[in-house]
Amino acid sequence: MFRAVGLLFSAILLVFSLLNSISIAAASESLSEQEKEKNKLEIENRCLTVECENRLSLEEIESYAEEVLGMRRCSPEQIIDNGISG
């Protein structure tokens, strides 16, 4: 009788151990996917930051050209296409 109880208890412990291992593997896989996504978002964030900084520079140049130099954009009628692309 004691032997049967011991075997049953061991079997239950084995099942719980296997379920725990499966749970840990799933959590590890999820963490790995989240780390990949985090790295991807960090790269995207750097690219967007550089793009934003570049735009600010262009806006500053345009503002200086308009306010200080008195320049303004050409209207479509003022643009002549000479066939040279560049």
Side-chain angles (χ1 to χ4, degrees):
M1 177 74 173
F2 180 73
R3 191 174 193 176
V5 171
L7 287 174
L8 180 63
F9 184 70
S10 295
I12 291 172
L13 284 177
L14 181 63
V15 169
F16 281 126
S17 176
L18 289 173
L19 289 175
N20 193 26
S21 295
I22 292 170
S23 175
I24 289 172
S28 176
E29 184 177 334
S30 175
L31 178 62
S32 176
E33 290 175 11
Q34 289 176 354
E35 285 178 352
K36 288 178 186 177
E37 182 68 17
K38 177 187 155 242
N39 291 337
K40 181 179 149 189
L41 290 173
E42 284 177 344
I43 291 170
E44 183 180 357
N45 186 34
R46 281 188 232 128
C47 290
L48 291 173
T49 299
V50 169
E51 183 180 328
C52 183
E53 289 172 354
N54 289 340
R55 280 203 178 157
L56 288 175
S57 297
L58 289 175
E59 289 174 0
E60 289 173 3
I61 292 170
E62 287 180 0
S63 175
Y64 180 82
E66 291 174 357
E67 295 172 12
V68 176
L69 302 177
M71 300 173 83
R72 55 192 165 106
R73 291 193 177 268
C74 295
S75 64
E77 300 85 35
Q78 294 173 313
I79 299 173
I80 299 172
D81 184 13
N82 60 9
I84 299 174
S85 61

